[in-house]
Amino acid sequence: MNTKTILIVDDEPRTRQGLKKTLDAWADGKYQIFTAANGEEAIGLMQKQKVHILITDIRMPEITGLQLLKMAKEQNIFPVMIVISAYSEFEYAQEALRLGVINYLLKPISKKALIEAVEDALQAVEKQERAGMMEKVVDKKLVDASTQNPLDRGPIREAMDYINKNIKNELTQKEVADHVHLNPSYLSVLFKEHVKLNFSEYVTRRRIQRAKELLITTNFPINDIAEESGYKTAKYFIKIFKELEGMTPSAYRKNQQ
């Protein structure tokens, strides 16, 4: 279940309930919306429950909104943050921006402004999640291969692009060499020199990277993922995946979830 969670923190009950009511009507059950009356209650809730979007008042007794944001960061809690305030003092806005707040709303908040701010925040959450996902699947050797930049790497860059585009298909060194108009054995030498991986290892790593992306982002059966990654049989795909990742594709998928 990947329901996004929104937490509203405000010490004024009317404001707190008003914001919740607006968001409940807008969310129509798609998101979980919680409230907290103060910073302490908010931190307690965030420790127990993943909060994707935090909407907090700045002026609160005991723990201010800005202190709450600092405390969350110190505890490695990183929701997308929106602050609200009845005060338009510039230093509050400046400090909030330094802490990574994406929106600063002034009271009284219109329903439209609140909903727009939350919609922007949801986009930011999705962007963060995509980045986190790519970090999980990234293969350091492939990143290094892409960032190496020798002067005469035109045909090698072209060969890598061709492999990446055709990863679902059977790929031979001869086919790729023909595509970039090089002799296969010369391509082999150049490839190893520039990419720091031999041809077949690069192809295997690209196939497994593709498989990892599909395992995390789709519910495709393992057979389909094997095929999409360029493997004729699921059995051989599972064997290669396990050699490279130390676990089966099913275990990898379960781990990431």
Side-chain angles (χ1 to χ4, degrees):
M1 188 71 170
N2 194 20
T3 309
K4 300 287 180 279
T5 301
I6 300 167
L7 174 60
I8 299 160
V9 191
D10 198 306
D11 60 311
E12 295 171 13
R14 271 182 68 184
T15 307
R16 193 166 66 242
Q17 291 314 318
L19 294 173
K20 186 176 189 311
K21 195 177 168 189
T22 299
L23 290 181
D24 276 335
W26 160 81
D28 195 25
K30 287 200 289 281
Y31 307 107
Q32 285 186 299
I33 299 162
F34 296 107
T35 62
N38 54 52
E40 200 177 330
E41 203 182 308
I43 283 286
L45 201 145
M46 287 193 284
Q47 285 167 339
K48 290 199 286 267
Q49 160 89 44
K50 166 89 172 160
V51 169
H52 298 89
I53 298 170
L54 172 65
I55 303 169
T56 181
D57 192 15
I58 275 194
R59 281 273 179 113
M60 293 188 294
E62 290 167 30
I63 298 172
T64 68
L66 294 177
Q67 284 169 328
L68 170 61
L69 303 184
K70 284 177 189 161
M71 286 165 73
K73 281 193 160 190
E74 281 161 12
Q75 296 187 31
N76 290 321
I77 299 169
F78 298 105
V80 171
M81 301 174 294
I82 299 168
V83 297
I84 51 180
S85 177
Y87 305 88
S88 55
E89 283 99 341
F90 187 56
E91 63 270 20
Y92 281 146
Q94 275 187 312
E95 178 66 5
L97 289 170
R98 267 199 298 274
L99 289 165
V101 164
I102 69 154
N103 228 316
Y104 188 92
L105 302 173
L106 287 177
K107 291 180 183 176
I109 304 161
S110 72
K111 288 181 181 181
K112 185 173 179 284
L114 175 66
I115 289 164
E116 279 176 3
V118 171
E119 283 173 346
D120 286 348
L122 282 166
Q123 283 185 351
V125 169
E126 274 169 29
K127 205 170 166 188
Q128 275 180 3
E129 286 180 347
R130 276 199 301 275
M133 201 172 279
M134 290 325 289
E135 218 169 273
K136 284 177 187 172
V137 302
V138 82
D139 179 328
K140 193 175 179 309
K141 287 195 176 181
L142 288 182
V143 174
D144 291 346
S146 296
T147 51
Q148 309 258 357
N149 197 18
L151 294 173
D152 62 338
R153 74 172 300 196
I156 297 303
R157 166 56 66 199
E158 209 182 318
M160 287 163 76
D161 288 345
Y162 183 80
I163 293 165
N164 298 347
K165 281 187 195 123
N166 293 280
I167 205 68
K168 188 181 170 178
N169 308 325
E170 199 175 333
L171 284 161
T172 65
Q173 196 163 289
K174 184 181 183 314
E175 177 196 338
V176 178
D178 287 349
H179 179 76
V180 297
H181 313 295
L182 287 178
N183 171 292
S185 52
Y186 182 52
L187 171 70
S188 175
V189 172
L190 265 190
F191 204 91
K192 178 73 178 166
E193 187 185 322
H194 292 291
V195 182
K196 307 291 182 260
L197 296 170
N198 65 35
F199 178 85
S200 62
E201 189 184 351
Y202 180 80
V203 172
T204 299
R205 285 182 175 275
R206 282 295 317 167
R207 292 197 196 287
I208 296 303
Q209 169 111 13
R210 176 70 183 137
K212 290 196 292 186
E213 287 165 13
L214 292 170
L215 286 163
I216 288 180
T217 59
T218 74
N219 294 318
F220 292 172
I222 300 301
N223 279 359
D224 292 2
I225 288 176
E227 201 178 308
E228 282 293 320
S229 310
Y231 290 98
K232 281 199 168 70
T233 70
K235 192 179 173 187
Y236 184 60
F237 162 59
I238 292 165
K239 177 181 177 286
I240 299 295
F241 192 98
K242 200 170 175 186
E243 278 172 14
L244 218 58
E245 295 298 319
M247 64 181 84
T248 65
S250 302
Y252 181 85
R253 174 179 266 167
K254 203 172 171 188
N255 254 12
Q256 300 306 334
Q257 287 168 350

